[in-house]
Amino acid sequence: MSEYKRSVFSIASLSSLNMQAIPDISDFLHEHISNLHLRIFTSHSQDIYDLVEQHEADLGFTLFAREYPNVHVEPWFSEPMVVVRPKGTLLSGPVCTPQELRPENEVYNYNGIRFQDWHDEWWPAARNSYVSLDNANLIPLLLNKPGQWTILQVSLARRMAATGNYCIQQLSTPPPARHCYLVTHLHPTRHAARILDILRPYLQDLAKTWNQRTLPEEAH
C-alpha cells in the first residue's frame, strides 16, 4: 500500500483576523487543492515576519507593513472602524461624537500605532478605560453592559450586531481605517509558489468584496 502523503501549506495570522479571513481561505484551499494539510499559526506581527522569513510560514496576514529581509509585503484590504455598544444602550443616533463616549466605559482594543495616536487625541491613555485587550475576539465576553463601548473594524462589528446583542454607530471624527497586509517570502519554495498562484486571485476577489462594503445607514 502506498503511503498517503499530504502537501503542507502554512499560514501565520493575527488572532484578530482569524474569524474574518481564515475560514473562507481554508474552504477555498481544500476545495481547489487535493491532499492539502493547512497549518495555521496565531502570532504577533513581529513573529509573523520571522515565520515567513524563515520559511516556517508560507503566507502571513498582518496589520503592519515593515521592511524585512527576504520578505515581500503588499496591501490587501482596508476597512473603516466603528463604535459598537451593547443592546440597551441609549443612542443619540446613527452617528456619535467622541465627546459622548466616556473613557471609563471603554473596552479598549489595540489596533496599531496610528489608531493609538488618534485615540489619545480624544481620550486619556488606554489604561483609563474599563479594560484593555490585544485580542478582539475577547470583546464579546466583556462588552456586556449598557453604556459600554468599543471601537472595532466594521466586519467584526457587523458580525456582533447580527447576534442581536449589539448596535453600531459611526463616529463624527472617524479613526484611521484598519489596513491588512499580505506577507510572503521573496523566494518561496516551489510548492508554496504553486499554491500562492492559485490562492492569490481568490484573495484579491475577497479583498474587493470587503472594500466594497458600506457602513450602515442607521444605528441598529
Side-chain angles (χ1 to χ4, degrees):
M1 180 181 296
S2 61
E3 182 182 1
Y4 180 76
K5 185 177 181 180
R6 289 189 170 195
S7 60
V8 177
F9 186 78
S10 299
I11 295 176
S13 172
L14 296 167
S15 59
S16 61
L17 290 170
N18 280 351
M19 290 177 59
Q20 185 171 356
I22 296 300
D24 290 341
I25 293 169
S26 175
D27 289 344
F28 175 85
L29 287 174
H30 283 288
E31 180 180 350
H32 291 83
I33 302 176
S34 61
N35 299 339
L36 180 70
H37 176 75
L38 180 62
R39 294 197 308 169
I40 299 171
F41 303 94
T42 298
S43 304
H44 296 291
S45 288
Q46 182 62 54
D47 296 332
I48 290 172
Y49 280 89
D50 290 336
L51 288 166
V52 171
E53 202 274 336
Q54 297 165 12
H55 282 297
E56 294 182 30
D58 302 303
L59 173 64
F61 299 107
T62 179
L63 302 179
F64 311 107
R66 294 179 177 172
E67 293 185 3
Y68 213 82
N70 298 315
V71 170
H72 175 66
V73 184
E74 59 187 294
W76 185 26
F77 73 93
S78 63
E79 58 181 332
M81 308 289 286
V82 294
V83 176
V84 180
R85 291 174 150 182
K87 187 177 180 180
T89 300
L90 182 63
L91 303 179
S92 58
V95 180
C96 66
T97 66
Q99 293 87 345
E100 295 176 52
L101 303 174
R102 299 172 63 92
E104 64 269 23
N105 292 335
E106 180 184 19
V107 177
Y108 175 81
N109 179 58
Y110 179 73
N111 275 287
I113 190 63
R114 292 177 67 245
F115 174 83
Q116 179 71 61
D117 290 343
W118 173 89
H119 182 276
D120 289 348
E121 290 182 8
W122 294 103
W123 302 283
R127 63 177 177 272
N128 293 324
S129 62
Y130 165 64
V131 64
S132 298
L133 305 171
D134 66 354
N135 185 342
N137 295 330
L138 296 175
I139 286 178
L141 302 177
L142 296 167
L143 192 73
N144 50 29
K145 299 179 181 65
Q148 289 182 320
W149 60 278
T150 191
I151 298 177
L152 291 174
Q153 63 270 28
V154 69
S155 57
L156 181 54
R158 285 175 171 168
R159 189 176 296 114
M160 291 175 62
T163 67
N165 296 322
Y166 302 95
C167 52
I168 297 174
Q169 288 180 297
Q170 299 177 47
L171 272 162
S172 58
T173 306
R178 192 175 93 140
H179 299 275
C180 182
Y181 299 88
L182 300 178
V183 181
T184 54
H185 202 282
L186 283 175
H187 307 288
T189 65
R190 185 166 61 179
H191 168 71
R194 181 180 66 85
I195 295 177
L196 287 168
D197 285 344
I198 297 171
L199 180 60
R200 192 172 295 277
Y202 177 74
L203 293 177
Q204 293 171 349
D205 289 343
L206 205 57
K208 289 178 183 178
T209 299
W210 285 332
N211 285 329
Q212 289 170 355
R213 290 172 176 167
T214 57
L215 293 174
E217 295 182 357
E218 58 183 10
H220 299 289

